Amino acid sequence: MTATTASTTITAPVTKSGRVRPLDGLRQTFTMAWRSLVAVKHNPLELVDYSITPIMFVFLFTYVLGGQMAGSPEAYLKYALPGIIVQNTLFMTMYTAMALNTDLTKGVFDRLRSLPIARSAPLIGRITADLAKHVWALLLMIGLGLLLGFRITGGLGGFLLGTLLVVVFAAAVSWSAVLIGMLAGDAEKVQAFAFTIIFPITFTSSAFVMVDTMPGWLQAWSDVNPVTHLSDAFRGLLLGGAVAEPVLWSLVWAAGIALVFCPLAMRAYRAKT
C-alpha cells in the first residue's frame, strides 16, 4: 500500500481540531477492511491459511482420531467438529497479530500516519476483515462436516446463534492478538508465542475429548477453561441441548478478555504508531 494510493480512497475532511468525523472514520474503517479482503486475491498463500488448513484439520481429526476416540469417524465428527472450529478460530486470531506486526515492521503505519484518516481505522479495519475470514473458514468447515455426515439438529437458529457467538469470542480474543503483534519483535516470535498459548488451552478443554475422561486435577482447569465453555456452547447450539450456562460463561469470558486486552492493545498501538 502506498501513501498515494491510500490517499485517493480513504482520506476524508477533518474537523478544526484535527480529528476525523465519526462517520468518516467509520467509512475509512470499512474501506481498510475491504482493502484487506481484496488483498487475498493478490496473495494466494492466504487461501492456504483460511481454506486448506481448516479442511486439513477436519480430515485429520475425523479420520486419524475418530476410530480410536469414538469407535468411528462419523461418531467422533459429531462431537469434535464444533471443537475443531473453535480451535481453528483461535489460531486464526493470531494471523491478525502477524499481519499487524508485519505492517509495523515494514513501515505501513508510518505511511498511513501522514494521511488525514482516523488513527484507529487501519487497526479496526484489519480486525473486521479478519473476522470476515473467520466466518469464511467456519462455513467451509461446517460445509465439509455436512458432506462427511455431520448434521445440525439444532436448526437454523442454533447455527446462526452459534456462529455469532464464535465471532464475538474471536473479536474479543483479537485484542490480545493485537497486543502480541504490537509487542513482538517479528512475525516468527508472534507465531511461537501464539502456539505456546493456544495449544495447551485447546487441548486441555472439551474441544476434542470429554472432560470427565481427564485426571481430576486437569478436570478442575478444564471446567473453567474458556475454550471448554465456547466448545460446549457451540456444540449445544448446533446439535440442540442445554446451552444457557456455557453460552453465558462464553460471553463472560469474551467480555473479560476484551476489557483487559482492549485498553492494553490500544495503548501499545498508539505508542507504536
Side-chain angles (χ1 to χ4, degrees), residues 76-160:
Y76 186 62
L77 180 67
K78 182 176 180 180
Y79 178 86
L81 182 61
I84 298 171
I85 292 174
V86 168
Q87 181 208 42
N88 185 71
T89 299
L90 293 178
F91 273 115
M92 285 177 60
T93 60
M94 291 302 111
Y95 297 157
T96 301
M98 288 187 286
L100 289 172
N101 183 272
T102 300
D103 287 347
L104 190 65
T105 55
K106 289 187 175 181
V108 173
F109 287 112
D110 292 333
R111 294 195 292 272
L112 291 173
R113 190 188 303 139
S114 64
L115 301 176
I117 64 173
R119 193 172 182 183
S120 62
L123 174 61
I124 307 299
R126 164 63 66 175
I127 294 175
T128 302
D130 287 349
L131 290 177
K133 296 172 186 177
H134 289 319
V135 174
W136 161 254
L138 185 151
L139 294 176
L140 187 64
M141 297 173 81
I142 286 289
L144 179 59
L146 293 175
L147 291 176
L148 297 179
F150 184 84
R151 293 295 177 264
I152 301 176
T153 53
L156 178 61
F159 167 71
L160 294 177

Side-chain angles (χ1 to χ4, degrees), residues 141 161 213 234:
M141 297 173 81
L161 288 175
T213 64
F234 191 36

Side-chain angles (χ1 to χ4, degrees), residues 36-249:
S36 179
L37 291 173
V38 171
V40 173
K41 70 179 182 180
H42 301 297
N43 183 15
L45 288 179
E46 282 200 48
L47 294 177
V48 175
D49 292 329
Y50 293 106
S51 300
I52 305 301
T53 301
I55 291 174
M56 181 180 65
F57 273 142
V58 174
F59 273 115
L60 287 178
F61 276 94
T62 301
Y63 291 105
V64 174
L65 300 179
Q68 175 68 34
M69 301 298 293
S72 70
E74 293 76 14
Y76 186 62
L77 180 67
K78 182 176 180 180
Y79 178 86
L81 182 61
I84 298 171
I85 292 174
V86 168
Q87 181 208 42
N88 185 71
T89 299
L90 293 178
F91 273 115
M92 285 177 60
T93 60
M94 291 302 111
Y95 297 157
T96 301
M98 288 187 286
L100 289 172
N101 183 272
T102 300
D103 287 347
L104 190 65
T105 55
K106 289 187 175 181
V108 173
F109 287 112
D110 292 333
R111 294 195 292 272
L112 291 173
R113 190 188 303 139
S114 64
L115 301 176
I117 64 173
R119 193 172 182 183
S120 62
L123 174 61
I124 307 299
R126 164 63 66 175
I127 294 175
T128 302
D130 287 349
L131 290 177
K133 296 172 186 177
H134 289 319
V135 174
W136 161 254
L138 185 151
L139 294 176
L140 187 64
M141 297 173 81
I142 286 289
L144 179 59
L146 293 175
L147 291 176
L148 297 179
F150 184 84
R151 293 295 177 264
I152 301 176
T153 53
L156 178 61
F159 167 71
L160 294 177
L161 288 175
T163 300
L164 179 61
L165 180 64
V166 171
V167 171
V168 168
F169 198 90
V173 175
S174 293
W175 288 110
S176 67
V178 171
L179 181 62
I180 294 171
M182 291 293 107
L183 298 181
D186 51 55
E188 287 74 17
K189 291 180 180 178
V190 171
Q191 190 173 25
F193 191 75
F195 273 78
T196 301
I197 294 178
I198 295 177
F199 254 116
I201 292 177
T202 55
F203 280 94
T204 57
S205 71
S206 67
F208 309 118
V209 298
M210 295 182 180
V211 172
D212 56 14
T213 64
M214 301 179 182
W217 61 269
L218 190 53
Q219 288 186 36
W221 156 247
S222 297
D223 288 337
V224 298
N225 188 333
V227 180
T228 291
H229 296 305
L230 183 59
S231 298
D232 289 347
F234 191 36
R235 186 180 295 114
L237 288 167
L238 291 180
L239 301 179
V243 295
E245 185 175 352
V247 167
L248 176 61
W249 277 112

